[in-house]
Amino acid sequence: MSIVQVALPIPMRQLFDYLYEGDELSPGVRVKVPFGSRVLVGVVLGTVSNSTMQAEKLKALLEVVDSAPVIDHVLLKLCHWLSSYYHHPIGEVIHTALPVALRKGLSSQPKPIPFFRASDNDDEKVEKLLGTAKKQRLLMAFLADKEVEGSTLKQHFSTAIINAVLKKSLIESIDKTVEPDLNWRDNLTLSDKPRANIEQSLAITAINQADTGFKTFLLEGVTGSGKTEVYLQGIEAVLEQGKQVLILVPEIGLTPQTVSRFKSRFGVEVGVLHSNLTDNERLTVWQQSRSGQLPIVIGTRSAIFTPMKSPGMLIVDEEHDGSYKQQDGLRYNARDLAVLRAKEHNIPLVLGTATPSFESLSNALNGRYQHLLLSDRAGNAAHAKQNILDIKNQPLQFGLAQGMIDRIEQHLRQGSQVMLFINRRGYAPALLCHQCGYVEECDRCNSPYTIHKQLNKIQCHHCGSARSIPKQCVQCGSDEVVPYGLGTEQLEQGLANLFPDYSSVRIDSDSARGKTRLSELLDMVNKNQHQLLIGTQILSKGHHFPNVTLVVILDADGALFSADFRASEHLAQLITQLAGRAGRAEKPGEMWLQTHSPGHPLLQDLVHNGYGHFARHALLERKQANLPPFMFFALFRAEATGARLPHEFLAEVSGLFRDLAHVIVVGPIPALMEKRQGRFRMQLLIQSDNRTVLQRALAERMALLEQLPLARKVRWSIDVDPQDFV
Ligand code: ADP
Ligand code: ZN
Ligand code: ZN
């Protein structure tokens, strides 16, 4: 009997011991174990000779699921790192790292496929049984001296025919496991590619030179500068060596176009991983990447956990994108994890973006990453010109100043498309009583309801609660309740009034709901079926609209005065990304930003000097203000149905971190959104100018913290390198 230590998907920072009789189990093998009254699937992490548990309390394993580890040693090492860096229980980390099908305990091996073959019969018997059945004869001839996959046979013969010969025992069905086809290297093709310009060549050469070791590149290239082309030419040599490439993209940047660009360049299969797949589809890509069958895998955040037989390079496209950070459970950043993974595999990593995150930019400027720049659009496309429109004191129609309306008209008349960005979906962000000023609020979140006219509902965007639009004010009884402010739905209506001759389309998370809806909408835009595009953030990500020559940002002033220190970075990224959607080769574009603060330094710097200049300058300000990436943050969040307990809990937590050298404690303070879904939310910020000091402090205090009696009375979490303070 030996004792195995098992990581289980439960929120406890420990391993669990179970008795086991048999050959030693390798770390990474899944087992089924009894836990309380349940049976859980866990992963073996080690074997020990003594348990801290009393011998008579130890239970036995129920079942060993795998014959070989489902997590290789590199991924296992990364799981340990994630657990210690994000202070998250190892069992839950491993759970996150596995595809759902494997979490449930299903087989990690490809499913056997049914095949048919002729049974062993003497010719005379076969003759007799077939008689005059013509089609059955054809089928027997088809199966002469070969085994045929069930699905292939069914393409040639009806089920009735197949069943008839099966019944006569002339053929039999067998299940076969198909060996993975690892020969893609021999079939690599290189279809035509554009000749790289000088900056692209420099980048490609640098990347190729690194293909024998770990190195991180920051590829900073304006939109349309040919970053994707650099990835394509940069991975050529990797693929030719028979090595695999893993590419991360933001959730909504993953379009069929992206995938087909890689497929058609190399003429190979590309595995795709995103949130709209079934568990089985995900598992198949996982298996094929693990067996080495897939040369290229493209996926969103959690694809960073995809095993590879012979990893050759990692790429994170749009590395600044917020979707790489998981916002619940294990709050990891897939971009940061990519750096560690590349290091473990000893392979290069390329982080690409037009608008680098301050973290990555800082690493490039201080020499930790190699900085590659693409400063011009590829081919002969020009940059979109960026402009600011002062709307102080101007009459607005549907949020648009007259000058803007005229300009939109001009572009439409020239046969171009116009894109309008507004950050709010729905009809209007509030319902206001004109008589008494009362605003309808969700009392679970203390925030105004958004009006959705098409649904005839008011809805809270924080908790999803909704009800029909009230006809009267609940406070004074007046029936003069009116929409306040502007949302995408209302703008869509307004544009139909202002430009009746042109068709508009709204692209936001309401209209693009459903698996294929977004690509359908984008398709219609590219076919010029709509001339006016209205949308939210979705529009800023990855899609190219060659016929759009004017981008209008209706109002971004809110972000200029936000309490979140990252708001200006995110606003600058958004504006730059939006401007990048406009114009292509023959059609130069322009972007206009409406604002009440035309003199704001951020806007001035951005518009006149570009994101690169703005970011380098803003980075200096972060340094002076002692903010990330020069300070390291860990944020404790706590919530409960009353405000008192979270405050008391975090006050006790803050006591654990006081009096530590180089550690600063801020709070407890209310979260930016103080109440949400009926719960009061508080925060405590722990900072240090030294990552190691912060990590050590957290590691040392975590056990004490969990023993605080209040830790069981509030819902709490820790977020290392938090991205927001909502
Ligand atoms: P990014 O990924 O930076 O947005 P892409 O790689 O998609 O840029 O390139 C933008 C467009 O320019 C694409 O249509 C691409 O085919 C084209 N392109 C890229 N590099 C070159 C080049 N060296 N010469 C001509 N066209 C290029
Ligand atoms: Zn009223
Ligand atoms: Zn709510």
Side-chain angles (χ1 to χ4, degrees), residues 129-138 168:
L129 284 170
L130 281 176
T132 56
K134 246 192 192 160
K135 288 201 174 141
Q136 295 183 23
R137 271 179 194 279
L138 283 174
K168 295 179 185 169

Side-chain angles (χ1 to χ4, degrees), residues 442 444-445 460 462-465 677:
C442 166
R444 299 176 71 212
C445 305
C460 172
H462 302 291
C463 70
S465 72
Q677 302 193 344

Side-chain angles (χ1 to χ4, degrees), residues 72 83 137 170 206 227 246 251 449 454 461 527 550 655:
D72 62 44
S83 172
R137 271 179 194 279
L170 287 169
K227 290 184 293 298
L246 175 64
E251 182 65 72
Y449 277 115
Q454 280 182 349
H461 282 186
K527 290 191 183 124
L550 173 62

Side-chain angles (χ1 to χ4, degrees), residues 481-553:
V481 283
V482 291
Y484 184 77
L486 186 74
T488 46
E489 230 183 75
Q490 191 177 164
L491 180 61
E492 186 180 25
Q493 233 179 50
L495 292 176
N497 284 331
L498 291 170
F499 307 104
D501 298 337
Y502 299 93
S503 156
S504 65
V505 62
R506 175 163 58 91
I507 303 182
D508 57 21
S509 55
D510 295 322
S511 71
R513 197 157 285 159
K515 279 193 186 193
T516 54
R517 190 66 192 140
L518 178 61
S519 38
E520 282 165 28
L521 290 172
L522 295 174
D523 231 37
M524 293 197 298
V525 172
N526 283 331
K527 290 191 183 124
N528 236 337
Q529 289 171 10
H530 303 285
Q531 294 75 47
L532 291 151
L533 289 60
I534 303 153
T536 54
Q537 247 95 339
I538 295 188
L539 287 182
S540 71
K541 307 213 180 182
H543 314 294
H544 296 307
F545 303 103
N547 198 35
V548 168
T549 55
L550 173 62
V551 175
V552 182
I553 300 175

Side-chain angles (χ1 to χ4, degrees), residues 32 49 55 76 140 146 273 313 476 492 631 652 689 720:
K32 288 188 183 162
S49 43
L76 210 47
M140 292 310 290
K146 65 173 184 280
L273 288 168
M313 192 183 292
C476 73
E492 186 180 25
M631 276 302 251
E652 285 180 18
D689 58 2
V720 178

